Amino acid sequence: MKTFSVKQYQKSDFENWNAFIGQAKNATFLFHRDFMEYHNDRFEDYSLIVLDGEKWVAVLPANIVGNQVFSHQGLTYGGLVYTEKLKLASVIEIFKAVLSFLNDNKIVKLQLKLIPSIYNQKPADELNYALFLTEAQLIRRDTLAVIDFSQQNSLSKLRKRSIQKGISNDFAIKEVNDFEKFWDEILIPNLEQKHQAKPVHSLEEITKLKVFFPKNIRQFNVYEGGTIIAGTTIFETSTVAHCQYISGREDKNELGGLDVLFQHLISDIFKHKRFFDFGISNENQGRKLNNGLSYWKESFGASTIVQDFYEVETVNYKLLGNVLK
């Protein structure tokens, strides 16, 4: 078998990293350094590059806290990123090299939040198998509500009535290039009132990211007259339209504004995608389900895909020593 080497990402690797991300089978724009580094003041980067000689064969977007490394905590998903040319046996050897490198550098555990399968350009569950071999522990599982556009998806009767209500109220739906009204008038007040929380991205951060990724980050708002009443922020990848934020004015939610917006997105704007991802409805590290929110998403025809979070002890690289025959 080949011997792979591992090194930490350096600023001088910026261009090569992005070029590699651009041709991987399980990467999205979230792994681009311009996206990863918008919050570099909050995370200590510990991204890894795996080499076959001088050739890049895999990367691991990551950060470090104490003696643990995490597939980057500032990203929705992560894990090993690699090209379609890699065979299963090579991915096993690469993961062994990563764990061995971490172990040599006094890192005790690695936590990975896997990329949901719908985001891969081609099947890419090689890492899942390697995690099984290294006795990784499943520490969290979230549920994503996903519409598969290759299948027939029917609206519930309740959702149809609410969409008709939204249509009769003559709301205007617009895609806009700025986020200020949605952030300041809808999203921030709602998160503060309902969850005593703030958006993951500040207004300044999402505006900056939009400049870097104008085709991937899109904002759709609903207006009553000239007043914004609801909206959603979409992160668009090659296979998926993902709802990063969904929010509407509490006193207007019964009027069908959000429903007519999402029917428009699903049946028109993103119908060419493979999947439409409403995102999770989980709380408490996946152990609670917001049933009302989950039902609302499912009433559009969405079904469940899971995202798994694993923790593996780096010393378990030794378990991969005799796997291959």
Side-chain angles (χ1 to χ4, degrees):
M1 296 300 298
K2 290 182 177 180
T3 301
F4 298 101
S5 61
V6 180
K7 71 170 187 174
Q8 274 187 256
Y9 169 84
Q10 305 292 329
K11 288 184 179 179
S12 58
D13 297 314
F14 184 93
E15 296 294 341
N16 287 334
W17 177 285
N18 289 338
F20 185 83
I21 293 301
Q23 45 96 48
K25 73 172 180 177
N26 60 339
T28 73
F29 73 97
L30 272 68
F31 301 149
H32 193 286
R33 294 309 304 192
D34 281 331
F35 193 100
M36 290 180 61
E37 294 178 8
Y38 83 85
H39 45 23
N40 59 10
D41 58 322
R42 282 179 255 165
F43 300 98
E44 183 180 350
D45 193 89
Y46 203 87
S47 297
L48 301 179
I49 299 163
V50 185
L51 302 162
D52 177 6
E54 296 296 318
K55 182 182 179 182
W56 290 42
V57 293
V59 299
L60 177 69
N63 68 284
I64 188 170
V65 180
N67 63 355
Q68 294 190 52
V69 165
F70 299 79
S71 65
H72 207 292
Q73 291 173 297
L75 303 179
T76 309
Y77 40 72
L80 276 178
V81 180
Y82 41 88
T83 68
E84 63 179 281
K85 293 182 179 179
L86 279 187
K87 303 297 188 281
L88 175 58
S90 293
V91 177
I92 293 171
E93 289 295 318
I94 285 169
F95 193 51
K96 178 184 176 184
V98 166
L99 292 182
S100 178
F101 174 86
L102 294 174
N103 190 256
D104 289 345
N105 285 276
K106 312 303 181 187
I107 305 300
V108 176
K109 292 181 179 179
L110 170 64
Q111 281 195 21
L112 296 169
K113 47 181 166 183
L114 301 186
I115 184 169
S117 59
I118 57 175
Y119 287 88
N120 299 326
Q121 283 81 56
K122 292 189 174 182
D125 282 352
E126 293 86 357
L127 178 59
N128 305 56
Y129 181 61
L131 286 166
F132 160 71
L133 296 173
T134 51
E135 300 180 355
Q137 298 298 306
L138 178 66
I139 59 173
R140 173 177 169 182
R141 172 170 281 165
D142 285 341
T143 59
L144 286 64
V146 175
I147 290 176
D148 180 349
F149 284 119
S150 70
Q151 306 297 320
Q152 287 288 337
N153 298 285
S154 57
L155 294 163
S156 72
K157 291 181 180 179
L158 177 62
R159 202 53 49 219
K160 287 179 180 178
R161 288 199 298 269
S162 187
I163 290 168
Q164 284 304 125
K165 185 187 294 183
I167 292 171
S168 66
N169 285 321
D170 200 27
F171 294 127
I173 299 172
K174 297 179 183 179
E175 180 173 8
V176 298
N177 289 319
D178 66 273
F179 302 87
E180 187 172 357
K181 284 189 177 296
F182 179 63
W183 246 247
D184 290 346
E185 298 181 28
I186 305 290
L187 185 62
I188 291 176
N190 278 356
L191 287 176
E192 175 63 32
Q193 180 181 353
K194 294 179 181 179
H195 306 287
Q196 296 75 55
K198 296 180 179 180
V200 173
H201 308 87
S202 68
L203 176 59
E204 181 182 3
E205 288 169 343
I206 197 70
T207 301
K208 180 179 178 181
L209 288 171
K210 172 70 172 177
V211 174
F212 284 131
F213 305 101
K215 295 181 179 180
N216 301 103
I217 299 175
R218 304 174 67 179
Q219 180 65 36
F220 297 87
N221 293 339
V222 183
Y223 300 88
E224 183 180 42
T227 303
I228 185 172
I229 64 164
T232 186
T233 310
I234 301 291
F235 282 11
E236 183 178 356
T237 68
S238 61
T239 60
V240 182
H242 164 71
C243 305
Q244 182 67 24
Y245 298 106
I246 304 170
S247 198
R249 271 179 53 182
E250 197 71 32
D251 61 333
K252 299 290 184 179
N253 281 346
E254 298 301 315
L255 300 179
L258 271 176
D259 291 327
V260 77
L261 168 61
F262 276 89
Q263 178 62 8
H264 174 62
L265 297 179
I266 292 164
S267 63
D268 187 14
I269 302 297
F270 295 112
K271 63 182 180 181
H272 62 289
K273 290 291 171 187
R274 288 168 62 183
F275 304 100
F276 188 90
D277 173 18
F278 281 95
I280 69 170
S281 302
N282 307 98
E283 301 167 6
N284 191 27
Q285 298 294 296
R287 298 191 179 277
K288 296 289 184 182
L289 178 69
N290 185 327
N291 188 39
L293 181 59
S294 180
Y295 175 81
W296 177 75
K297 296 171 181 178
E298 290 170 330
S299 68
F300 283 94
S303 300
T304 301
I305 292 284
V306 298
Q307 179 183 15
D308 288 341
F309 298 65
Y310 285 93
E311 182 177 87
V312 58
E313 296 183 12
T314 60
V315 70
N316 286 2
Y317 76 87
K318 297 175 182 177
L319 297 177
L320 298 175
N322 296 310
V323 171
L324 304 176
K325 296 178 64 177

